[in-house]
Amino acid sequence: PKRPYAFDGCGKKFLKASPAHAVEAYDVETGFELYCLKGHTDNIDILKVNSDGTQVVTGSCDNTARIWSLKKSSARVWLENEV
């Protein structure tokens, strides 16, 4: 399956959904992994960075959406829908 990806607002970080149901953040210049945002329990289908590059929203097959802080490298809010 295709995995979503995005750049932060400054173009300094590359974010991608991993097969481990997480978002991996990389430094564009060095290629080194900066951090990994974990919390989903199934594939991430949607990954979008907000306009100022401080947050990323993810949507997963686990029926949750999460808003992550790119400054603190952590989840700020998550929403769950029981199916």
Side-chain angles (χ1 to χ4, degrees):
K2 284 189 173 184
R3 304 221 183 269
Y5 62 89
F7 289 91
D8 72 343
C10 300
K12 294 182 179 182
K13 293 178 189 171
F14 175 73
L15 308 164
K16 71 171 190 164
S18 78
H21 318 305
V23 176
E24 298 170 344
Y26 294 88
D27 182 289
V28 171
E29 285 188 28
T30 65
F32 289 121
E33 185 173 330
L34 300 170
Y35 51 83
C36 186
L37 304 172
K38 297 178 182 178
H40 285 296
T41 59
D42 206 340
N43 290 335
I44 296 172
D45 295 335
I46 299 167
L47 187 151
K48 300 286 182 186
V49 177
N50 71 340
S51 61
D52 67 3
T54 60
Q55 297 177 353
V56 62
V57 175
T58 56
S60 169
C61 293
D62 65 6
N63 294 318
T64 65
R66 293 176 186 258
I67 302 171
W68 307 86
S69 169
L70 294 180
K71 289 184 176 185
K72 295 184 178 182
S73 310
S74 62
R76 294 178 52 109
V77 176
W78 59 88
L79 309 169
E80 191 170 344
N81 180 20
E82 303 259 340
V83 178

